[in-house]
């Protein structure tokens, strides 16, 4: 019979299988770390966008409130004019 080759006490096919398994585990771990880093960057960008849009929405809301307030004052002024007109004409 021929001599069987061993690596670290394992027959050659088992040693190759173990090496392939370890390389696959390391490859998966590296891929997961890279993906987690991408997700963290994306999350950070989303947080920055949220802060930016929140400030932008606040400015828009203040503009809408001031416009609404001035429009309401104008409507009330016109209602007062109509009331005065109706009072004067009813006499």
């Amino acid at each position: 019979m021929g001599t069987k080759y061993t690596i670290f006490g394992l027959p050659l096919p088992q040693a190759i299988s173990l090496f392939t398994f370890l390389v696959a585990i390391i490859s998966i771990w590296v891929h997961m770390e890279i993906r987690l880093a991408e997700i963290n960057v994306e999350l950070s960008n989303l947080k920055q966008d949220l802060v930016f849009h929140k400030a932008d929405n606040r400015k828009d809301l203040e503009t809408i409130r001031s416009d609404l307030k001035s429009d309401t004052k104008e409507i009330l002024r016109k209602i007062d004019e109509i009331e005065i007109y109706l009072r004067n004409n009813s006499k």
Side-chain angles (χ1 to χ4, degrees):
M1 289 211 171
T3 59
K4 293 192 175 192
Y5 296 105
T6 60
I7 298 175
F8 300 117
L10 294 173
L12 188 60
Q14 285 182 354
I16 291 172
S17 297
L18 180 63
F19 177 73
T20 305
F21 178 74
L22 291 175
V23 167
I25 294 294
I26 291 171
S27 173
I28 290 170
W29 181 75
V30 167
H31 179 71
M32 293 299 291
E33 288 294 320
I34 291 171
R35 188 68 184 122
L36 282 173
E38 290 174 351
I39 290 171
N40 284 335
V41 168
E42 191 171 326
L43 183 63
S44 175
N45 289 339
L46 286 173
K47 284 180 181 179
Q48 288 176 352
D49 285 348
L50 179 67
V51 169
F52 175 74
H53 289 296
K54 204 179 212 183
D56 203 26
N57 286 346
R58 189 172 292 123
K59 289 176 189 174
D60 289 344
L61 185 61
E62 288 300 321
T63 303
I64 290 171
R65 279 184 183 163
S66 66
D67 288 348
L68 184 62
K69 194 173 186 179
S70 66
D71 289 346
T72 303
K73 284 182 181 180
E74 181 69 24
I75 290 171
L76 289 174
R77 189 183 61 74
K78 290 191 180 210
I79 288 174
D80 288 342
E81 288 177 4
I82 292 171
E83 284 179 344
I84 291 170
Y85 175 77
L86 290 175
R87 280 186 200 153
N88 289 338
N89 283 344
S90 67
K91 291 181 182 180

